Amino acid sequence: MEIFLQQLINSLSVASVTILIGMGITLIFGLAGIVNFAQGEFLMVGGMITWALVMAGVNFFVAMVVAMLAVGLLGLTAERTLFRFTLTRPMNGFIMSIGLSVILQNVVIRTLNEVQKSITPPVTAVWTVGGVDIIAMRAIVVAITAVVVAVTYFGISRSRYGVALRASVADQDTAALMGIPVKRYVTGVFVYGSVLAGLGGALMIALFPITPFTGSVIIIRGFAVSLIGGLGNVGGAVVGGLILGLVDALAAQYGFPQWTDAYSLIVMIVILILRPQGLLGGTMGPRAT
Amino acid sequence: MTNHNMQSPTQPVTARVSLPEAKPRYMRGIKEPTREEWCLGILILAGLIAFPFFDPGYRFLSLAVSTIFTAIALYGLSLQFGQAGIMSVGHAGIMGVGGYTAAILANQLGLGFWESLPLAMLLSALAAAVVGLPSLRVGGQHYIIITFCFCALLVIALTNGGTFTGAATGLDVGPIPGVFGIRFAKLDNMYFLCLAALTISIAVTFAIVHSPYGRTLWSIRENEPLARAVGINTNLHKIGVFAISGAFAGLGGILQTYYLRHISPELYGAFPSLYLALMIMLGGARPLYGPLIGSIIVNFLPELGGLDPIDSRIAYGVGLLLVILLLPGGVSGGLLSLYRRGTKTRHRLEKGRGLS
């Protein structure tokens, strides 16, 4: 049982990174109507920027903020130069984001190399609570994620910006007539999702080594999380991330570890077939085609 | 040409009466290729047949073989995406089903290329139909993500398959047994074998696109609720087109297996699948030669541009972005509209001259 508890706490920190990317996808997909396959690459770029800065002697938390800003800028550029033109044809935007992910991945390989990168954990303390070892860095990752989730959740459900955003998803034309700058909101959501990916990348490299190929692995988990929970639903992304974390912990402990990746894929396929709108329900994606 | 359908007196029979002779039953309703289409087809085929005689060297000839078996698989995807409008980024996985079927049959039962060919195509078709089932419930991008997951699942299953699938190292197969003394271990002959399969694939694609079945698929793509309302069993036809698409992928996959003589799971992973999607978008899914053009561009670009693999992948990505932003119909769609504009201008010019 204690081993299981240990596994659970460990997978909670992994789930945090998954929740961050899943939340970015769920917001961008569900609210801005853009399927961004390059989100995983955004996370990887965020991790790489953090790595480069920490290697240059910058404090980890400063590097994290710089990575968030840099990836946010990347998102802004991508939205303005690419996705803006495919808003009416989401399928083309999706294919384009695949192209973008291929470009980003190979540009990172070109400028750095394929070798995995890691940093020494910025916080190395280990707390023992009731016989369970808790690595402080993992607890910090979980705490940061919890704060970001809370801010995002209340931002979308309570603030006037969140209300305006949901209004422009529900009815673009009416929202525009009410004076909501719909396109600017789309940009805003895209940039916010990118910033979350940058944060996810920075937190991820604090926990595990990452390679230029990390993005293409994590993106599937991100999609799984957002689709399991329901698109555009922040709470759903959290639930989805926790489900995946739990499945992973159980699989690592009781199942066949080499099949770990398969379980989350199977969970996602089954949920998509049984409940296409996700467990908690959400918008059906960009104009539900 | 008797019309057995008594309930449609308004049927325009004149068009049918004008046919020179009765066509066999299976050819009915398939539009004959126009003279332009015949010319273009023969020209392209002649060019492809002539290619090995220009002494392209081993490297270019092997690239051409890869181009052709990839193009065969792409013709399946072009029917599924271009005609029925259902994109998939798991097509390499279906190719893998074909390839692994052949390799497992060869290793376990000692079957050769010709015996396992129909089985590989059948199993691929079946696998594609099963992967296609969720598309009846979830559409659009959701379905694309599901196909991506199936592809990733297949790679995990193949990697964990032990000696049956050869795990991560994969399986070896022997050469294709010769027919009438033609040895397929020789690259030229392999090229002609693939070319024959490609010709058949293009002909079948043309026939399907211009048959009543193709028009049914078209109606599903353009307006599925309407298609259902006029009595088309859209679910059946969608699964049908997945199966056809899978059979093409299986053919491409088995040719790939016997060309490489060794296969491993990473050939069929997520990224090969993405590249297939990229090729179909680059070339254009609807024009008849779009898949071939897409495959030629992606296979030959790195060699002709002198790019290393990383640079060429960046180039593909940039190319994909440019094509989607500037030429949504793909390169072949762009060429086609250029040609149409050209002929239209010529007609207008001639008409203008006639008036003056």
Side-chain angles (χ1 to χ4, degrees):
Chain A
M1 190 61 206
E2 265 172 20
I3 298 174
F4 174 69
L5 218 59
Q6 187 85 55
Q7 280 286 356
L8 196 66
I9 288 176
N10 283 349
S11 61
L12 200 60
S13 60
V14 182
S16 300
V17 176
T18 320
I19 288 172
L20 281 178
I21 185 149
M23 210 157 66
I25 289 173
T26 214
L27 293 177
I28 294 176
F29 192 168
L31 297 180
I34 299 169
V35 191
N36 185 13
F37 206 82
Q39 185 83 357
E41 256 55 51
F42 283 12
L43 178 135
M44 184 269 293
V45 169
M48 289 297 175
I49 291 172
T50 314
W51 172 80
L53 289 175
V54 169
M55 285 293 125
V58 179
N59 176 280
F60 170 77
F61 293 97
V62 178
M64 184 176 89
V65 173
V66 175
M68 285 163 70
L69 293 178
V71 177
L73 194 65
L74 180 65
L76 179 68
T77 318
E79 204 277 335
R80 279 296 157 102
T81 55
L82 301 174
F83 296 104
R84 164 138 301 185
F85 303 104
T86 56
L87 283 180
T88 49
R89 302 185 68 180
M91 192 67 92
N92 282 0
F94 181 34
I95 307 279
M96 212 159 61
S97 72
I98 292 177
L100 184 63
S101 91
V102 171
I103 295 175
L104 285 176
Q105 185 180 37
N106 287 290
V107 165
V108 169
I109 295 176
R110 167 66 62 227
T111 47
L112 301 169
N113 49 37
E114 297 183 17
V115 185
Q116 65 175 23
K117 312 272 182 297
S118 58
I119 57 173
T120 47
V123 182
T124 46
V126 176
W127 303 322
T128 309
V129 181
V132 179
D133 289 338
I134 298 174
I135 298 165
M137 192 57 226
R138 300 201 161 196
I140 292 173
V141 167
V142 174
I144 292 177
T145 308
V147 170
V148 170
V149 166
V151 168
T152 312
Y153 181 77
F154 286 109
I156 287 187
S157 61
R158 296 284 186 278
S159 78
R160 57 187 295 249
Y161 300 105
V163 173
L165 178 63
R166 284 182 291 133
S168 48
V169 175
D171 189 336
Q172 221 171 350
D173 297 333
T174 313
L177 285 174
M178 297 296 137
I180 298 171
V182 175
K183 280 206 164 174
R184 210 173 294 164
Y185 270 92
V186 168
T187 313
V189 167
F190 197 91
V191 172
Y192 186 71
S194 310
V195 169
L196 290 184
L199 175 64
L203 294 181
M204 192 166 180
I205 201 164
L207 298 178
F208 324 99
I210 64 175
T211 72
F213 306 105
T214 303
S216 44
V217 179
I218 198 95
I219 184 72
I220 289 296
R221 300 179 64 82
F223 272 121
V225 163
S226 55
L227 292 172
I228 287 173
L231 287 169
N233 190 327
V234 177
V238 176
V239 171
L242 292 177
I243 289 178
L244 276 201
L246 194 66
V247 167
D248 283 356
L250 287 173
Q253 194 58 36
Y254 303 106
F256 305 94
Q258 69 268 35
W259 289 87
T260 305
D261 290 333
Y263 295 130
S264 50
L265 295 175
I266 293 169
V267 167
M268 172 174 157
I269 292 175
V270 169
I271 288 182
L272 268 185
I273 292 172
L274 297 181
R275 268 185 75 85
Q277 71 276 37
L279 284 181
L280 299 193
T283 62
M284 260 302 281
R287 269 146 250 116
T289 38
Chain B
M1 299 266 44
T2 49
N3 194 344
H4 296 294
N5 195 347
M6 303 296 284
Q7 286 173 325
S8 58
T10 53
Q11 185 92 9
V13 278
T14 46
R16 297 196 162 203
V17 167
S18 70
L19 283 173
E21 71 248 39
K23 286 205 275 183
R25 198 179 146 69
Y26 59 86
M27 287 292 282
R28 249 171 241 170
I30 296 180
K31 197 193 77 160
E32 291 264 352
T34 61
R35 207 168 58 195
E36 275 175 344
E37 282 162 346
W38 272 120
C39 288
L40 188 64
I42 289 170
L43 212 64
I44 289 175
L45 188 63
L48 288 173
I49 289 176
F51 180 71
F53 297 105
F54 286 108
D55 197 21
Y58 188 82
R59 177 88 190 121
F60 272 89
L61 199 57
S62 52
L63 271 179
V65 173
S66 322
T67 305
I68 290 179
F69 64 65
T70 317
I72 293 171
L74 284 179
Y75 273 99
L77 192 56
S78 83
L79 282 174
Q80 184 186 327
F81 175 54
Q83 300 306 314
I86 309 165
M87 187 57 171
S88 154
V89 290
H91 207 59
I94 307 293
M95 273 179 92
V97 172
Y100 264 92
T101 305
I104 290 171
L105 284 175
N107 281 282
Q108 302 284 331
L109 302 175
L111 291 187
F113 175 82
W114 300 105
E115 293 90 16
S116 43
L117 176 66
L119 282 169
M121 287 175 69
L122 195 69
L123 265 179
S124 302
L126 213 63
V130 170
V131 173
L133 282 176
S135 79
L136 306 182
R137 255 188 86 80
V138 294
Q141 295 95 335
H142 290 65
Y143 179 67
I144 298 185
I145 294 163
I146 289 189
T147 61
F148 197 78
C149 291
F150 270 116
C151 196
L153 268 178
L154 179 79
V155 172
I156 295 172
L158 290 176
T159 314
N160 293 325
T163 49
F164 189 65
T165 63
T169 47
L171 293 170
D172 290 316
V173 293
I176 300 178
V179 182
F180 307 124
I182 304 169
R183 284 173 52 248
F184 291 107
K186 196 165 170 259
L187 193 59
D188 287 42
N189 293 338
M190 186 69 201
Y191 176 83
F192 285 118
L193 177 69
C194 288
L195 186 55
L198 176 71
T199 313
I200 296 170
S201 307
I202 294 179
V204 169
T205 305
F206 183 87
I208 290 177
V209 170
H210 292 96
S211 68
Y213 184 60
R215 288 190 283 277
T216 307
L217 295 179
W218 194 29
S219 73
I220 294 175
R221 179 187 78 214
E222 291 301 324
N223 194 336
E224 194 178 335
L226 185 60
R228 212 177 299 130
V230 298
I232 294 171
N233 187 342
T234 53
N235 287 355
L236 185 75
H237 289 304
K238 274 173 156 180
I239 296 301
V241 78
F242 281 122
I244 296 172
S245 161
F248 277 100
L251 179 59
I254 190 171
L255 286 170
Q256 180 184 34
T257 304
Y258 274 89
Y259 162 66
L260 297 174
R261 305 276 298 278
H262 172 84
I263 51 171
S264 53
E266 81 265 18
L267 277 174
Y268 308 113
F271 269 80
S273 277
L274 291 184
Y275 283 115
L276 287 181
L278 193 156
M279 289 180 216
I280 203 94
M281 296 304 291
L282 272 181
R286 276 179 220 164
L288 188 58
Y289 298 102
L292 182 60
I293 292 176
S295 180
I296 290 174
I297 294 175
V298 172
N299 279 293
F300 276 92
L301 184 76
E303 199 69 16
L304 293 178
L307 301 171
D308 68 1
I310 295 171
D311 282 337
S312 62
R313 279 183 215 136
I314 297 175
Y316 298 152
V318 174
L320 184 65
L321 298 187
L322 290 178
V323 161
I324 294 204
L325 288 178
L326 306 174
L327 288 175
V331 171
S332 63
L335 288 175
L336 203 65
S337 67
L338 204 67
Y339 173 73
R340 290 220 177 105
R341 200 181 300 164
T343 48
K344 209 183 277 171
T345 321
R346 205 182 67 211
H347 285 317
R348 212 174 43 228
L349 283 178
E350 279 168 2
K351 214 195 254 170
R353 215 176 293 134
L355 280 174
S356 62

